Amino acid sequence: MQYRKLGNTGLKISELSFGSWITFHNQADVDKTYDMMKAAFDAGVNFFDNAEAYALGKSEEIMGEAIKRLGWRRGSYLVSTKLYWGLHDTPLENNTLNRKYLLEGIAGSLQRMNLDYVDLLYCHRADSDTPIEETVWAMHNIIERGQALYWGTSEWEADQILEAIDIADRRNLHKPVVEQPVYNLFQRHRFAGNYHAVYKGKGYGSTTWSPLASGLLTGKYIDGVPEQSRAALPSMAWLKDELIDEAANERVRALLPLAKDMGATLAQFALAWCLQNKSVSSVLTGASRVEQVHENMKALQFVDKFTPDLMAEIDRITGA
Ligand code: NDP
């Protein structure tokens, strides 16, 4: 495993990390979670990602139980959660980053995870109804209380991140240090345009999500929907059309020989490609079974195999 600096912080984060969206509770119980987290940690992963909204809190409970059983030294790994959607459908607690919700939300997450603090706390989305200043103050207070060590954003517009940093700088508050954006061969918009001012200009870190576009970039949907797959889950019906989209799968098919020439599986190729971007601090992987973790961790051996000609060919195929 290689480690990168998480933006301007002093943290060294593993190039590949491991997250729990969809999988924990829906596809993995505590035993399976234990096996997958152990496989990732043994491969050098030091960051495990979660969110209050994942399986409505159950994902946090499962990760907390697995961490307890794994018995790792707390100093040796990073764990995160994210707040925004809320667990209760009331105007105070739903789709919000208001101070009350954030302070109560972090307390609930820590209880479910059985942890004293999370290392990273993300605002899972931006909230146009709450002044950014209120959110910055709340996150600062959460850090001062020791419930989180650093805070970040997820899927925020570049200008919103710059505003939060500016407010924190002016008030001498803990500022956000990391964004969690979608990033894969087919979805690159969160590193384009004004994000340059965020990553290069401010030294913001990034932990990127859905590097395999939910499995599309493994090639598993070229011939339809495999039984044990994300697209086969009834709860993921909203995503299925994207995963079986013919044009997208044609592009996936065209990438296959490039991966084969490298000696990589398409999943390994797609993961290693994400790490060509030096503004990426860590690529958040996901898995529904331990074999996928083993396969994905081997992506690291291909990171230095992407020549300029190959990058150009990839861009031609993906239409980037
Ligand atoms: P991916 O795009 O990598 O998709 C992971 C899924 O692809 C797995 O669960 C598995 O699904 C399938 N898969 C993975 N590896 C392989 C393999 N080698 N061969 C075949 N199939 C494979 O990542 P996720 O979408 O899961 O996102 C990763 C993490 O990012 C999440 O866990 C979460 O922590 C974070 N995230 C953050 C978001 C945010 O808004 N901040 C949003 C989404 C994710 P299956 O076997 O069921 O087909």
Side-chain angles (χ1 to χ4, degrees), residues 57-293:
K58 291 273 186 294
S59 167
E60 291 178 324
E61 284 174 11
I62 288 180
M63 187 179 276
E65 183 57 31
I67 285 174
K68 196 165 108 193
R69 284 196 206 169
L70 285 157
W72 300 328
R73 213 167 28 74
R74 185 65 184 90
S76 64
Y77 64 92
L78 303 166
V79 63
S80 72
T81 195
K82 313 187 203 76
L83 299 170
Y84 170 74
W85 277 288
L87 296 178
H88 306 282
D89 195 11
T90 77
L92 294 172
E93 303 163 277
N94 212 232
N95 300 355
T96 184
L97 296 175
N98 74 56
R99 175 179 180 79
K100 176 176 165 63
Y101 161 72
L102 290 173
L103 293 180
E104 287 166 0
I106 184 62
S109 287
L110 293 177
Q111 200 173 20
R112 282 187 294 279
M113 296 176 104
N114 198 17
L115 292 174
D116 296 330
Y117 64 91
V118 289
D119 300 278
L120 306 177
L121 178 62
Y122 293 89
C123 295
H124 211 156
R125 289 294 179 268
D127 168 19
S128 55
D129 288 338
T130 301
I132 290 185
E133 177 145 10
E134 177 174 337
T135 299
V136 172
W137 267 108
M139 297 303 267
H140 170 82
N141 291 146
I142 286 170
I143 289 178
E144 289 289 292
R145 289 167 159 208
Q147 292 169 306
L149 304 186
Y150 302 84
W151 76 277
T153 51
S154 179
E155 295 283 303
W156 281 34
E157 298 300 331
D159 290 350
Q160 295 168 318
I161 297 170
L162 293 172
E163 188 181 339
I165 293 173
D166 182 54
I167 291 169
D169 276 343
R170 280 191 282 117
R171 305 256 183 269
N172 210 16
L173 305 176
H174 291 289
K175 58 185 158 201
V177 296
V178 59
E179 162 69 5
Q180 190 167 133
V182 67
Y183 187 59
N184 57 55
L185 280 156
F186 292 164
Q187 292 165 289
R188 309 180 185 188
H189 58 286
R190 293 278 180 209
F191 283 93
N194 210 19
Y195 283 103
H196 192 71
V198 173
Y199 294 116
K200 293 277 189 296
K202 297 290 180 188
Y204 214 57
S206 71
T207 58
T208 59
W209 57 267
S210 285
L212 301 178
S214 275
L216 174 64
L217 284 164
T218 66
K220 72 200 295 177
Y221 296 108
I222 287 177
D223 297 318
V225 176
E227 239 173 66
Q228 304 287 327
S229 68
R230 186 170 287 185
L233 295 172
S235 59
M236 298 306 284
W238 59 273
L239 190 70
K240 188 173 161 190
D241 285 349
E242 247 175 72
L243 295 177
I244 58 171
D245 181 77
E246 241 177 72
N249 278 291
E250 270 314 303
R251 285 183 277 151
V252 170
R253 198 193 295 275
L255 291 169
L256 279 171
L258 306 187
K260 194 166 174 225
D261 282 352
M262 204 180 261
T265 65
L266 190 57
Q268 291 164 341
F269 179 88
L271 292 169
W273 175 88
C274 295
L275 287 163
Q276 305 310 304
N277 182 342
K278 295 302 170 208
S279 293
V280 169
S281 315
S282 183
V283 174
L284 268 166
T285 64
S288 65
R289 40 192 165 274
V290 74
E291 295 76 18
Q292 293 174 351
V293 180

